[in-house]
Amino acid sequence: MCESCGCHDHDSLYMPQVATIVKTSPMTNRDRFFEFKIDGKELGHRPGQFAELSIPGIGEAPISVSSSPTKKGSFEMVIRRVGKVTAALHGLKAGDTIGVRGPYGTHFPLDELKGKDLVIFGAGIGLVPLRSAINYILDKRDDYGKFFLLCGFTDASQRLFTDEMDQWRKNKSITFLETLDRGDASWKGNIGVITTLIPKIKDQVNPKNTVAFIVGPPVMYKFVILELRSMGFKDQNIIVSLERRMKCGVGKCGHCQIEGMYVCQKGPVFTLDGISNLVEAL
Ligand SMILES: Cc1cc2nc3c(=O)[nH]c(=O)nc-3n(C[C@H](O)[C@H](O)[C@H](O)COP(=O)(O)OP(=O)(O)OC[C@H]3O[C@@H](n4cnc5c(N)ncnc54)[C@H](O)[C@@H]3O)c2cc1C
Ligand code: FES
């Protein structure tokens, strides 16, 4: 891996590789699951990184890798249909090919967190990059201490990875909690925003030995961070992933700037103490 730009290989900085869709299926009315493979090669990502997906004649979009690097032979993504590139990706089927550049960006520093307790807050499509970290941790479960996994969605129709969440709920080695902003007759679980789950784990969390990961809609960060700070978490133990409009993904176009800092180069994964001087970051 190249240290300066995070790419896999300088020769391929602007040159997409061909990836084939192995499998694709709907997850919600706007989110679609994809499994891709690059012939004879791994994508070579770390949890938290993203890749630029392209369709010739239409464009490119940065999308997080959702599978763990411990899964070999293919990689997985979830794509929300919002505009022209994502709509075109939704129109593809198994066997079709696309271009892939990357992986790019910083990653969740899981190898440096061995022995720590972990608490993950994943809301909505924020669960997509976190799932890479979650499955990595589960595959190396003995390397970490207590593991709290808190997920939230707006309503039942927007739940992602429902089969996997069922397995996480049954897994005795983790504390899994889920909430919906709005429940319905079929929902028997917690109702409320993701911070309403914090009182259920507060007594079991030792902020001195716990690292928190937060990925979700912009409004969520502020409230989760306030709660974590009030529990005694230090900013260096709070890790966030920021999504900004990106184009090139490699520090050339300036689209992703926050107060002069390029999110595609320095992020998307940051510790909170690293961005506390950037007023516009959160
Ligand atoms: C690091 C990173 C990781 C991402 N991971 C994922 C992922 O795992 N799954 C996923 O579905 N999406 C992800 N995104 C968002 C995705 O890149 C955009 O939704 C996509 O580029 C939109 O392209 P489009 O051509 O379909 O939309 P466009 O036609 O360009 O835009 C359609 C509409 O979407 C809005 N829009 C476009 N891009 C963004 C954006 N980045 N944030 C907010 N609004 C936007 C536009 O303002 C416009 O209203 C990620 C973005 C970044 C930067
Ligand atoms: S996306 Fe082009 S500089 Fe970051």
Side-chain angles (χ1 to χ4, degrees):
M1 175 86 54
C2 164
E3 289 298 325
S4 60
C5 68
C7 79
H8 219 34
D9 166 2
H10 266 296
D11 294 338
S12 65
L13 196 58
Y14 298 107
M15 182 62 74
Q17 309 181 72
V18 174
T20 306
I21 300 176
V22 179
K23 199 167 120 188
T24 175
S25 53
M27 296 186 97
T28 70
N29 57 349
R30 54 185 179 161
D31 302 309
R32 219 176 154 82
F33 170 87
F34 289 83
E35 181 181 357
F36 298 101
K37 74 168 187 302
I38 304 172
D39 270 345
K41 240 179 125 181
E42 300 292 342
L43 180 63
H45 69 289
R46 296 190 192 171
Q49 287 193 295
F50 67 95
E52 291 276 354
L53 303 192
S54 58
I55 302 186
I58 297 180
E60 262 192 325
I63 302 291
S64 304
V65 186
S66 193
S67 50
S68 165
T70 48
K71 173 183 166 39
K72 300 295 178 196
S74 66
F75 61 97
E76 295 166 349
M77 292 177 158
V78 174
I79 299 172
R80 175 162 292 178
R81 193 183 60 239
V82 297
K84 60 182 172 49
V85 176
T86 49
L89 287 161
H90 272 227
L92 300 178
K93 56 185 187 317
D96 288 342
T97 57
I98 58 156
V100 177
R101 288 193 294 127
Y104 297 130
T106 49
H107 56 277
F108 298 114
L110 289 166
D111 291 335
E112 290 140 50
L113 299 180
K114 287 182 181 170
K116 294 279 186 195
D117 295 346
L118 304 170
V119 55
I120 287 183
F121 295 86
I125 201 159
L127 183 59
V128 168
L130 285 169
R131 175 177 171 261
S132 178
I134 293 164
N135 286 336
Y136 186 88
I137 295 161
L138 291 176
D139 283 344
K140 295 173 182 276
R141 187 66 193 91
D142 293 344
D143 286 348
Y144 303 95
K146 290 184 197 168
F147 181 16
F148 303 91
L149 176 50
L150 277 46
C151 292
F153 303 94
T154 48
D155 60 49
S157 73
Q158 298 303 307
R159 297 175 73 222
L160 299 173
F161 298 110
T162 49
D163 292 347
E164 253 160 277
M165 286 199 292
D166 283 344
Q167 288 169 21
W168 298 339
R169 191 172 282 108
K170 287 180 200 149
N171 187 331
K172 298 253 182 302
S173 79
I174 62 182
T175 302
F176 173 79
L177 297 173
E178 187 188 356
T179 186
L180 299 183
D181 293 354
R182 292 183 298 277
D184 63 18
S186 68
W187 178 249
K188 306 281 180 266
N190 194 79
I191 296 176
V193 294
I194 203 161
T195 45
T196 62
L197 296 174
I198 294 176
K200 298 177 195 288
I201 61 161
K202 215 169 181 169
D203 294 348
Q204 303 160 61
V205 174
N206 170 8
K208 292 200 167 48
N209 191 47
T210 307
V211 174
F213 298 2
I214 313 169
V215 193
V219 63
M220 163 185 142
Y221 289 85
K222 193 167 86 187
F223 294 104
V224 175
I225 289 166
L226 276 174
E227 292 277 350
L228 291 175
R229 283 179 175 155
S230 79
M231 285 166 72
F233 274 80
K234 298 262 186 289
D235 283 3
Q236 65 262 33
N237 292 328
I238 301 177
I239 296 174
V240 298
S241 181
L242 300 184
E243 198 185 283
R244 281 297 185 278
R245 293 297 301 269
M246 287 187 192
K247 207 170 174 68
C248 67
V250 293
K252 303 290 178 197
C253 71
H255 267 66
C256 64
Q257 274 194 75
I258 305 177
E259 296 172 44
M261 188 265 297
Y262 287 7
V263 177
C264 68
Q265 295 277 276
K266 301 286 184 198
V269 176
F270 298 91
T271 54
L272 195 53
D273 60 334
I275 52 170
S276 50
N277 59 334
L278 301 177
V279 181
E280 292 169 22
L282 289 170

